[in-house]
Amino acid sequence: MSTAIPPRPRQVSKKKAHICIVASVYNSDFTDALVENATDELKSILPHATISVARVPGAFEIPVASAALLHAEEAPVVLIALGLIIRGKTQHGDLVAESVTTSLQQLACDTKIPVIHEVLLVDDEKQAYARCIGSQLNRGREAARSAHTMIELFSDLGLHQDNKKKSTRSYPSNA
């Protein structure tokens, strides 16, 4: 496991981008901090971006909200998923984490829109604090930096939806 977040990009991006954050409300002391850190970092490194935040009850609801946003007419160029699962005495947390991970990866591959996965599975509140509120391992800032990297990469490759030309070809009905 990484012990530090990637460095902040050297240059502030001038790109206009629509970024969605889907975050769970459950464990709000931690998830609120993830959202705040991610949005603060995004505003610093992507000052021309628009950021929207959708809050869902828990981590399990993140994939369905993400799917709705990724399939919307005005889909984001990147989606950031933020949540926190604290492992308990049963396997429920592991099952939820596995389901969320698989679903988010499938959405990214199906839509060709980057999904930054920071739905964290931790053992206790000490680990949660270090990753959500602390400064050294802050996964909210890391998510923002990863989003920046993917926006730059997809833009350089001409893969952003904004760069895709809409087909003007019409198809005859019942021809």
Side-chain angles (χ1 to χ4, degrees):
M1 179 185 308
S2 174
T3 58
I5 63 174
R8 181 179 266 186
R10 292 183 192 182
Q11 284 188 296
V12 171
S13 177
K14 294 184 179 13
K15 292 184 174 48
K16 292 183 180 182
H18 176 217
I19 301 166
C20 287
I21 296 173
V22 178
S24 66
V25 174
Y26 201 75
N27 291 315
S28 63
D29 288 347
F30 300 111
T31 58
D32 289 351
L34 284 171
V35 171
E36 183 178 328
N37 283 297
T39 55
D40 287 350
E41 188 72 8
L42 286 169
K43 288 175 184 176
S44 295
I45 60 178
L46 290 157
H48 302 290
T50 58
I51 304 163
S52 58
V53 179
R55 297 302 294 253
V56 296
F60 193 73
E61 292 77 27
I62 290 173
V64 70
S66 298
L69 290 165
L70 292 172
H71 289 98
E73 190 170 321
E74 292 187 34
V77 296
V78 68
L79 183 136
I80 300 173
L82 301 173
L84 180 76
I85 303 164
I86 299 176
R87 192 175 267 126
K89 294 181 181 180
T90 68
Q91 288 190 316
H92 179 75
D94 295 282
L95 294 171
V96 170
E98 184 177 338
S99 173
V100 169
T101 298
T102 301
S103 297
L104 291 175
Q105 183 64 61
Q106 191 63 52
L107 280 170
C109 291
D110 289 349
T111 62
K112 311 294 186 286
I113 298 172
V115 175
I116 310 304
H117 176 354
E118 288 296 345
V119 180
L120 309 174
L121 174 62
V122 299
D123 290 325
D124 53 40
E125 288 192 11
K126 183 179 176 185
Q127 286 181 351
Y129 184 91
R131 286 155 183 80
C132 300
I133 298 171
S135 60
Q136 193 171 18
L137 294 173
N138 193 282
R139 299 304 184 206
R141 283 200 305 276
E142 181 176 8
R145 292 174 188 181
S146 295
H148 173 273
T149 300
M150 294 305 290
I151 288 169
E152 294 292 325
L153 173 66
F154 273 48
S155 180
D156 291 347
L157 297 173
L159 298 174
H160 276 310
Q161 291 176 346
D162 296 346
N163 296 336
K164 293 179 183 173
K165 294 181 180 174
K166 297 196 179 196
S167 174
T168 56
R169 182 175 176 185
S170 60
Y171 297 93
S173 61
N174 297 339

